[in-house]
Amino acid sequence: MRPQDFDMPDSDVAWCPGCGNLSILRSLKTALAQLEIEPKDLVFVSGIGQAGKLPHYIKGNVFNGLHGRSLSPATGIKAANPQLTVIDVSGDGCMYGEGGNHFMHTMRRNPDITNLVHNNMVYGLTKGQASPTSQRDFSTPLQIDGVFLEPFNPLAVAIALDASFVARAYSGDRKQTIEIFKAAIKHKGYSLVDIFQPCVTFNKVNTRQWFKEHTYYLEEDHDPHDRNMAFQRATETGEYPLGIFYQNSNKNTFEENLRVYWDDKSPLFQRKVDMGKITSLVDGKR
Amino acid sequence: MTVLSKKDDISLVLCGEAGQGIQTVESILAQTIKQSGYHIFSTKEYMSRVRGGQNSTEIRVSSHRVASYLHRIDILLALSSGALKHLKDRISNDTIILGDPEHLKAAKKDFLRKNINEQAIIQIPLMDTAQEIGGLIFANVIAAGVLSCILNIPQEIFNGIITDMFARKGSKILENDLKAAEAGYQIGVELKESQAENIKLPLTGKSEVGDELLMNGTDAVGFGCLAGGCRFMASYPMTPSTPLQVFLASCSHEFELVYEQAEDEIAAINMALGASFAGARSMVATSGSGFALMEEGVGLAGMIETPVVIYIGQRPGPAVGLPTRTSQEDLNLALYSGPGEFPRIIFAPGKLEDAFILTQRAFNLAEKYQIPVFILSDQYFADCYYNIPSLPLEDVVNEDYLVKTTPGYQRYLITHDGVTPRGIPGYGEGLVVVDSDEHDEEGHITEDLEIRTQMVNKRMKKMDGIREDAIIPELVGDEDYHKLIIGWGSTYWPIREALENIKMENSDQKMSFLHFKQVYPFHKRVSPYFEKAEDVIIFENNAQGQMANLIKLETGFEIHEKVLKYNGMPFSVEEVEYNLKKFISFNNNLSGIRGGV
């Protein structure tokens, strides 16, 4: 397959010229093409925000729901039909702000879905307020004294919760991002990819140049199965590592734990009502 | 003098603290009563705590069908010192009070002395007997034995039930429980001899009753969920919806469904919508303040036209209100939940058969119209048990509304009736796109104001079909009435029984009862019912007359006579009767009946 197989010919892309989302979209198309996943078997789930619009610009089934809630329908979709490839596309506000509770519990549940979080450390759609990942002293029309809250650290939280795949990418490095996306999608279980990206309009601090200067890749010999080390690397600030921090492939997925699939792999919609069984259950009340 | 001998409809109340095993007594008695061929109804009221407090269960034992709450207590079994005080308003001179001397001590000297016929207080050695058998935990089985004997339940039936209930706990425990059962039954035999004047029950059993179904409102809704093809439930525990969650979780293996306890109600409804988007018939269950969190998801269901069934077990609010009590306060919440305008259906069953068929229908209609469908239950309805001959299982028809998509499939194709054939991902060659923003026919975000108008029209157009499918209210009584009673949901049986009692006293009374089991939208034949009545009265468990207001909105008809109760308890038959007699100015004996509010 080719990345173009995922193109939406007439889509009216609503992102700013130069937005980091554009390269994330291109990388995702390439990753999916290389993995040979047909659009009809894909479901993109998103919430609200600039990242949440991505599913409209790529070929696949789409559930573009509510702000911060995308992981819940994604879990429901995968639970109802495990044969689908489910990719959740969200922003830092959607996932770490509005959706914080769902973020935490989805990692505990471990559905086999991929969670791509566009992290530009600012609210773009609502025009430049602080996000949970905004860095200290980041000044905005609402945070007039600058941000004084501790930035949310999604990787450390995810590793603490033993999320089964935890990575960070930088949108500007498409080559590595494609590889990380492929590994995340192939991974069995919940995978988080926090994607650093510039917001060319509202974040004048964390620019392309800033990301180039403040990121580097984890060493070749970093062992993603070493949870303590992964946690330590995730808490590094100043210089931010990129790559696959942590991976635990020994966990059952949510769907594997569901008894309904133990003997029968078919999606739920294909199963018919058995009135005979219901009749005997009702007769048990006699 | 207390004489029960005229009664073939006994109101037996058990009262004690949470954790004392009242529910065990209730379940033993419910089974033994039914197996003995008596009709049974039971309802419980309880406090929001794990241990202590005062909880009571009313069990009606009758020679004829009974299905509603009575204010009257004929026999009270007090299992705690606080029981009499808790039920003082319901205890009359005709109430026989049974209990351990320890628990009745207070009654002798307390405020109750002036109200209570002392001869009707009968001491039974529950605690001492239990200690002899092996501990206080046996007191509940002993109590069940005493009552079974008084109710003329054959000892072999009683022992059989005890064996069925306790056999799985091991032979040693069973042996002691059977001993407790025997001891209780013997106490009952002695009581019947010594209190022959007081206790004489002419109940007549019918063998066919023994084979009937004994279930509560939750069971009936649960069976409806299974019959409606429910495959996915995500919910967060909240009284009084938790029993339905337990029911479906317990059925999940055999009936191939997924139950997931979500982290909150917001996640629950969003998960259910995701599962529904992927083709599984899905539902959530909650109560008022939990549902308040789900409202955002209701709007999403409306916008993305994805089916979901929402079960609301109503309890008093606002906020957390009275967690274990009953109400009909969430009609407005269900009716207006979710931003914007979109169609919905609201059912409110009043009897078990309806709960089953309406729930099954809810799943079908949710699929047919791709909308949220509500089932408004409440604590009273969810928790009350009675026997019925059967459920209309043979009437179940599940229609499959999913289509296999072809390339170029448009999820929101505008059709003449507003309903687009529904595709799901992974079934067919097409792509299915849904969006919470306004969208075009393909499902993609649009800000085209022309398309916006067309999409609102498309969604609202479904109301035509929904109204065609609406269920007409049930008229109890003659079509030729002068006075009309209105009720909805769980008030069905108390109103019906009160009306029947009045008709027995005065058969010329031209009064009928119109019960709404579909509370939104109305069938088009609803208005004529109001137009031909001279007078209309409505009973509701809320303070504003929410249904009366909806009736005015939908039909223009204003109901002036409203009986509104919102203290957390259901209407009793006596209370309805009292209010109906006032309504029809039928004042004979009015002073003898207490409202019991």
Side-chain angles (χ1 to χ4, degrees):
Chain A
M1 289 175 78
R2 302 167 310 147
Q4 297 90 307
D5 294 338
F6 292 89
D7 284 351
M8 295 286 291
D10 304 320
S11 65
D12 170 22
V13 177
W15 293 324
C16 308
C19 176
N21 287 337
L22 294 162
S23 42
I24 295 174
L25 176 62
R26 283 207 302 276
S27 300
L28 185 57
K29 286 179 181 174
T30 308
L32 291 167
Q34 290 183 8
L35 292 173
E36 302 277 329
I37 302 174
E38 295 282 343
K40 69 178 181 59
D41 298 323
L42 267 168
V43 184
F44 297 103
V45 189
S46 67
I48 299 301
Q50 297 295 11
K53 294 175 180 171
L54 183 143
H56 290 285
Y57 311 144
I58 188 167
K59 247 191 197 143
N61 299 285
V62 175
F63 187 112
N64 185 182
L66 297 167
H67 195 28
R69 316 297 176 215
S70 56
L71 286 174
S72 304
T75 303
I77 292 163
K78 190 72 184 175
N81 187 351
Q83 295 166 7
L84 298 167
T85 298
V86 179
I87 298 178
D88 184 300
V89 186
S90 299
D92 41 331
C94 203
M95 189 52 53
Y96 308 140
E98 287 268 353
N101 199 26
H102 313 307
F103 177 61
M104 182 162 82
H105 290 281
T106 303
M107 291 188 270
R108 294 180 53 228
R109 218 168 257 127
N110 196 33
D112 183 13
I113 63 176
T114 306
N115 188 8
L116 306 180
V117 186
H118 302 203
N119 182 1
N120 56 12
M121 307 174 188
V122 70
Y123 279 11
L125 188 60
T126 53
K127 305 198 172 181
Q129 301 81 17
S131 102
T133 53
S134 293
Q135 299 196 315
R136 280 178 184 273
D137 301 325
F138 185 69
S139 181
T140 88
L142 290 183
Q143 286 73 29
I144 56 171
D145 297 322
V147 170
F148 46 76
L149 271 57
E150 185 65 35
F152 183 75
N153 184 334
L155 303 188
V157 169
I159 295 163
L161 287 166
D162 199 20
S164 70
F165 181 101
V166 182
R168 180 153 60 205
Y170 164 56
S171 65
D173 183 352
R174 292 202 41 231
K175 192 161 170 278
Q176 293 292 336
T177 299
I178 290 164
E179 292 309 311
I180 293 171
F181 282 1
K182 277 161 53 185
I185 294 165
K186 275 197 293 191
H187 172 81
K188 182 190 75 127
Y190 170 87
S191 21
L192 171 68
V193 185
D194 183 73
I195 311 158
F196 277 165
Q197 59 153 156
C199 172
V200 293
T201 306
F202 293 109
N203 190 335
K204 304 295 188 194
V205 178
N206 308 104
T207 59
R208 274 198 171 73
Q209 195 57 35
W210 185 91
F211 284 117
K212 275 183 190 147
E213 287 167 8
H214 292 85
T215 58
Y216 70 100
Y217 281 92
L218 290 164
E219 304 73 21
E220 291 269 311
D221 62 356
H222 171 74
D223 176 8
H225 297 98
D226 182 340
R227 190 167 166 215
N228 287 332
M229 183 53 71
F231 186 81
Q232 197 180 317
R233 302 305 298 269
T235 56
E236 285 180 18
T237 52
E239 302 284 301
Y240 295 85
L242 303 170
I244 299 168
F245 284 64
Y246 181 62
Q247 195 162 6
N248 180 353
S249 306
N250 298 323
K251 296 175 80 167
N252 272 356
T253 65
F254 180 57
E255 308 77 62
E256 284 172 337
N257 284 323
L258 296 175
R259 182 83 167 250
V260 74
Y261 296 115
W262 289 6
D263 301 326
D264 180 353
K265 302 288 181 209
S266 63
L268 298 182
F269 78 88
Q270 289 177 352
R271 306 186 191 204
K272 299 294 168 222
V273 174
D274 184 341
M275 281 309 293
K277 271 190 185 176
I278 295 174
T279 305
S280 14
L281 188 71
V282 171
D283 282 338
K285 297 284 179 188
R286 290 187 194 277
Chain B
M1 176 52 65
T2 308
V3 177
L4 283 175
S5 56
K6 282 184 223 153
K7 297 197 172 125
D8 65 349
D9 173 15
I10 304 296
S11 162
L12 168 73
V13 173
L14 319 165
C15 183
E17 296 176 3
Q20 277 190 319
I22 292 185
Q23 278 181 26
T24 309
V25 186
E26 181 189 356
S27 42
I28 295 170
L29 285 177
Q31 280 306 326
T32 55
I33 289 165
K34 190 188 75 124
Q35 284 203 14
S36 305
Y38 303 141
H39 291 280
I40 174 171
F41 165 83
S42 86
T43 177
K44 61 182 172 178
E45 55 89 20
Y46 52 105
M47 292 181 172
S48 179
R49 48 172 87 183
V50 177
R51 289 273 183 271
Q54 295 299 328
N55 301 338
S56 74
T57 294
E58 172 176 275
I59 300 177
R60 285 180 72 179
V61 191
S62 176
S63 303
H64 52 268
R65 272 187 206 289
V66 280
S68 33
Y69 168 65
L70 280 186
H71 182 74
R72 184 186 89 218
I73 299 178
D74 296 316
I75 301 175
L76 169 62
L77 175 70
L79 285 162
S80 66
S81 301
L84 301 185
K85 190 173 177 192
H86 180 64
L87 294 169
K88 63 181 189 300
D89 293 339
R90 295 175 63 192
I91 296 171
S92 74
N93 267 325
D94 295 329
T95 305
I96 292 176
I97 299 169
L98 300 173
D100 191 83
E102 178 67 24
H103 295 144
L104 295 176
K105 249 193 286 181
K108 292 277 180 189
K109 54 186 179 194
D110 205 358
F111 62 98
L112 290 165
R113 189 179 297 162
K114 58 181 179 293
N115 303 334
I116 290 182
N117 176 1
E118 274 203 39
Q119 283 171 289
I121 299 181
I122 300 169
Q123 302 188 349
I124 49 174
L126 286 180
M127 297 307 182
D128 288 349
T129 313
Q131 288 291 17
E132 282 165 28
I133 290 166
L136 291 178
I137 56 160
F138 294 104
N140 53 16
V141 173
I142 298 168
V146 177
L147 293 171
S148 293
C149 178
I150 291 176
L151 295 170
N152 297 327
I153 285 162
Q155 196 170 0
E156 61 274 15
I157 290 184
F158 178 61
N159 286 344
I161 300 287
I162 295 289
T163 308
D164 289 348
M165 282 185 69
F166 295 101
R168 64 190 166 80
K169 295 192 170 179
S171 57
K172 183 74 190 153
I173 291 176
L174 175 62
E175 196 184 309
N176 279 333
D177 275 311
L178 283 171
K179 255 192 235 166
E182 172 65 25
Y185 209 85
Q186 277 314 311
I187 296 173
V189 169
E190 287 157 29
L191 268 185
K192 278 210 290 200
E193 284 166 9
S194 64
Q195 300 281 338
E197 281 300 301
N198 277 342
I199 305 171
K200 201 185 297 163
L201 303 180
L203 288 168
T204 45
K206 297 185 193 72
S207 57
E208 63 266 27
V209 174
D211 292 330
E212 289 195 357
L213 301 169
L214 175 60
M215 62 173 77
N216 63 16
T218 297
D219 296 327
V221 171
F223 291 135
C225 294
L226 299 177
C230 179
R231 292 283 169 206
F232 187 94
M233 178 196 247
S235 284
Y236 188 89
M238 184 170 184
T239 307
S241 74
T242 312
L244 184 66
Q245 300 181 31
V246 171
F247 180 99
L248 282 180
S250 74
C251 288
S252 61
H253 293 171
E254 195 178 351
F255 291 89
E256 298 175 59
L257 61 92
V258 173
Y259 172 84
E260 176 62 3
Q261 181 180 321
E263 56 271 27
D264 57 31
E265 286 86 349
I266 300 170
I269 191 165
N270 280 283
M271 272 186 206
L273 288 172
S276 180
F277 169 77
R281 292 190 171 202
S282 302
M283 78 177 305
V284 294
T286 186
S287 183
S289 65
F291 179 65
L293 287 173
M294 291 187 177
E295 286 201 64
E296 186 194 31
V298 177
L300 179 61
M303 185 50 133
I304 65 176
E305 301 187 47
T306 294
V308 64
V309 174
I310 300 166
Y311 173 86
I312 303 180
Q314 296 171 97
R315 66 190 217 188
V320 186
L322 290 169
T324 60
R325 304 293 171 182
T326 200
S327 85
Q328 296 182 306
E329 294 176 17
D330 295 332
L331 172 57
N332 285 345
L333 184 68
L335 188 60
Y336 298 114
S337 56
E341 299 167 298
F342 54 92
R344 69 193 72 200
I345 296 171
I346 307 174
F347 291 131
K351 42 184 180 181
L352 299 178
E353 297 90 334
D354 286 347
F356 171 74
I357 210 73
L358 291 173
T359 305
Q360 182 264 334
R361 192 175 168 81
F363 283 92
N364 254 347
L365 292 177
E367 294 281 313
K368 181 173 181 184
Y369 294 106
Q370 306 166 24
I371 53 165
V373 179
F374 294 84
I375 299 157
L376 277 186
S377 178
D378 54 46
Q379 180 271 324
Y380 172 67
F381 186 74
D383 289 346
C384 75
Y385 283 86
Y386 57 91
N387 58 294
I388 53 171
S390 62
L391 281 180
L393 295 165
E394 62 287 348
D395 294 349
V396 169
V397 180
N398 281 313
E399 286 149 21
D400 186 358
Y401 295 102
L402 297 177
V403 296
K404 196 165 186 175
T405 58
T406 49
Y409 171 77
Q410 292 184 302
R411 177 67 189 83
Y412 299 111
L413 180 74
I414 293 173
T415 58
H416 68 287
D417 59 0
V419 179
T420 310
R422 192 162 78 97
I424 55 170
Y427 183 48
E429 296 301 309
L431 297 178
V432 182
V433 178
V434 303
D435 195 278
S436 57
D437 277 88
E438 192 55 273
H439 40 253
D440 59 18
E441 288 181 295
E442 274 189 2
H444 290 294
I445 296 179
T446 181
E447 294 192 51
D448 182 320
L449 304 184
E450 179 57 32
I451 296 177
R452 153 70 184 174
T453 306
Q454 288 170 5
M455 281 294 157
V456 174
N457 292 344
K458 164 194 156 50
R459 290 189 289 265
M460 294 311 293
K461 180 76 184 146
K462 292 192 247 181
M463 283 306 284
D464 297 346
I466 291 169
R467 281 183 204 277
E468 285 295 311
D469 278 337
I471 295 171
I472 199 156
E474 176 182 345
L475 186 74
V476 178
D478 274 342
E479 290 274 353
D480 177 27
Y481 52 82
H482 295 163
K483 291 178 187 293
L484 185 65
I485 314 164
I486 306 295
W488 60 283
S490 68
T491 57
Y492 178 84
W493 280 114
I495 295 176
R496 184 170 170 165
E497 187 172 341
L499 177 65
E500 282 166 3
N501 288 347
I502 289 173
K503 292 227 169 157
M504 273 202 283
E505 287 176 43
N506 178 357
S507 56
D508 296 337
Q509 192 50 245
K510 287 202 172 293
M511 179 159 63
S512 295
F513 168 33
L514 189 66
H515 177 262
F516 285 77
K517 57 184 94 177
Q518 173 159 351
V519 294
Y520 183 82
F522 290 174
H523 193 280
K524 61 177 181 293
R525 275 166 57 199
V526 162
S527 286
Y529 282 109
F530 295 104
E531 285 154 13
K532 71 185 205 189
E534 287 169 13
D535 267 318
V536 179
I537 187 171
I538 190 166
F539 287 81
E540 297 191 58
N541 283 131
N542 59 54
Q544 291 182 307
Q546 295 184 14
M547 185 65 183
N549 293 339
L550 180 58
I551 287 168
K552 189 176 175 198
L553 195 67
E554 291 282 296
T555 68
F557 188 88
E558 182 153 8
I559 300 173
H560 295 287
E561 201 72 41
K562 297 175 195 156
V563 184
L564 305 173
K565 182 176 185 180
Y566 38 87
N567 70 347
M569 290 291 287
F571 282 108
S572 67
V573 175
E574 295 95 327
E575 198 174 1
V576 177
E577 215 174 311
Y578 171 84
N579 282 290
L580 286 180
K581 285 180 176 176
K582 261 203 331 201
F583 175 59
I584 57 179
S585 312
F586 175 62
N587 282 312
N588 305 352
N589 294 326
L590 198 58
S591 58
I593 304 159
R594 292 176 46 219
V597 180

